[in-house]
C-alpha cells in the first residue's frame, strides 16, 4: 500500500469526532421540533389548523423521523469508534503504549488541548506533541477501511 500522509491519517482518526458532532446536531434538531410545537398553541383535532396551531401528531412524526436518524448515526458512531480504537491498538514499537494513549485521548475522547492531553497521559505539552507525531508515523489505516476513507477524502 502506498504511504499515507499524516494529514490523511488525522482525517481518518477524526471521523468519530465528526460523527459525534452530527449526533449532537440531530439532538438539537429534535429539541427544536419539540420547542416549535410545544411553544405555541397545540390542538388534538383533525380539523384544519390555523397558522399558529399545530397538531401534536405532526410533532411526533417529525420527532420519530429524527430519532431514527439519530439511532442510525449512533450505530455508525459506535462502529467507527471500535474501528479506530482497533486500528490504534495495532501500533507496535518500544513506545507503543504512550503513542496509543495519546491517540486515544486526542481522537476518541476529543481532547484538543495539548496541555490537557499531557496532564492525562503524564507528559509535558511538548513531549505529547512529539509523541503524537511519532504515533502518526506508526499508525496505519486498516486495509478494510482504505476504500471507505478514499471515498471520504
Amino acid at each position: 500500500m502506498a504511504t499515507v500522509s499524516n494529514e490523511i491519517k488525522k482525517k481518518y482518526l477524526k471521523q468519530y469526532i465528526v460523527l459525534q458532532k452530527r449526533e449532537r446536531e440531530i439532538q438539537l434538531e429534535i429539541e427544536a421540533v419539540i420547542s416549535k410545537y410545544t411553544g405555541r398553541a397545540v390542538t388534538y383535532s383533525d380539523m384544519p389548523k390555523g397558522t399558529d396551531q399545530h397538531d401534536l401528531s405532526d410533532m411526533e412524526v417529525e420527532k420519530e423521523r429524527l430519532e431514527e436518524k439519530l439511532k442510525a448515526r449512533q450505530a455508525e458512531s459506535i462502529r467507527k469508534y471500535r474501528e479506530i480504537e482497533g486500528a490504534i491498538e495495532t501500533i507496535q514499537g518500544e513506545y507503543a503504549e504512550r503513542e496509543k494513549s495519546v491517540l486515544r485521548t486526542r481522537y476518541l475522547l476529543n481532547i484538543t488541548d495539548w496541555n490537557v492531553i499531557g496532564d492525562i497521559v503524564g507528559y509535558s505539552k511538548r513531549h505529547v506533541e512529539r509523541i503524537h507525531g511519532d504515533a502518526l508515523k506508526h499508525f496505519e489505516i486498516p486495509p478494510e477501511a482504505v476504500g471507505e476513507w478514499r471515498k471520504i477524502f
Side-chain angles (χ1 to χ4, degrees), residues 51-109:
T51 56
D52 285 350
Q53 294 183 333
H54 298 281
D55 189 322
L56 281 180
S57 63
D58 294 341
M59 177 187 77
E60 283 303 317
V61 168
E62 212 170 325
K63 189 174 134 202
E64 284 178 23
R65 180 187 62 78
L66 288 168
E67 286 172 344
E68 286 301 314
K69 192 174 177 181
L70 179 61
K71 285 179 189 174
R73 185 64 62 163
Q74 288 169 330
E76 186 179 356
S77 290
I78 290 167
R79 183 189 65 76
K80 187 55 68 178
Y81 180 95
R82 290 178 179 155
E83 178 186 305
I84 292 169
E85 182 181 43
I88 289 171
E89 287 303 312
T90 65
I91 293 174
Q92 300 291 313
E94 184 178 355
Y95 304 109
E97 288 310 311
R98 68 183 184 186
E99 291 175 3
K100 292 176 192 180
S101 183
V102 167
L103 291 183
R104 281 192 301 264
T105 304
R106 171 66 187 93
Y107 298 104
L108 296 177
L109 298 179

Side-chain angles (χ1 to χ4, degrees), residues 12 23 25 64 95 134-135:
Y12 172 80
E23 276 183 44
E25 290 169 0
E64 284 178 23
Y95 304 109
D134 291 342

Side-chain angles (χ1 to χ4, degrees), residues 10-145:
K10 287 179 197 176
K11 285 182 181 180
Y12 172 80
L13 288 163
K14 288 178 182 178
Q15 289 179 89
Y16 174 69
I17 295 166
V18 170
L19 291 170
Q20 289 290 293
K21 286 179 182 176
R22 184 60 187 129
E23 276 183 44
R24 284 190 291 277
E25 290 169 0
I26 296 169
Q27 288 168 340
L28 289 173
E29 286 180 64
I30 292 169
E31 289 174 20
V33 165
I34 293 169
S35 176
K36 172 183 169 185
Y37 286 98
T38 58
R40 296 182 178 162
V42 177
T43 180
Y44 295 95
S45 166
D46 286 337
M47 298 299 292
K49 302 175 212 64
T51 56
D52 285 350
Q53 294 183 333
H54 298 281
D55 189 322
L56 281 180
S57 63
D58 294 341
M59 177 187 77
E60 283 303 317
V61 168
E62 212 170 325
K63 189 174 134 202
E64 284 178 23
R65 180 187 62 78
L66 288 168
E67 286 172 344
E68 286 301 314
K69 192 174 177 181
L70 179 61
K71 285 179 189 174
R73 185 64 62 163
Q74 288 169 330
E76 186 179 356
S77 290
I78 290 167
R79 183 189 65 76
K80 187 55 68 178
Y81 180 95
R82 290 178 179 155
E83 178 186 305
I84 292 169
E85 182 181 43
I88 289 171
E89 287 303 312
T90 65
I91 293 174
Q92 300 291 313
E94 184 178 355
Y95 304 109
E97 288 310 311
R98 68 183 184 186
E99 291 175 3
K100 292 176 192 180
S101 183
V102 167
L103 291 183
R104 281 192 301 264
T105 304
R106 171 66 187 93
Y107 298 104
L108 296 177
L109 298 179
N110 191 21
I111 297 174
T112 58
D113 185 317
W114 293 112
N115 289 311
V116 174
I117 295 171
D119 290 343
I120 291 169
V121 299
Y123 296 100
S124 69
K125 173 188 176 201
R126 193 166 144 198
H127 200 129
V128 167
E129 289 171 335
R130 190 166 40 86
I131 293 169
H132 180 259
D134 291 342
L136 288 175
K137 288 178 195 170
H138 298 131
F139 178 78
E140 292 184 23
I141 296 173
E144 61 274 9

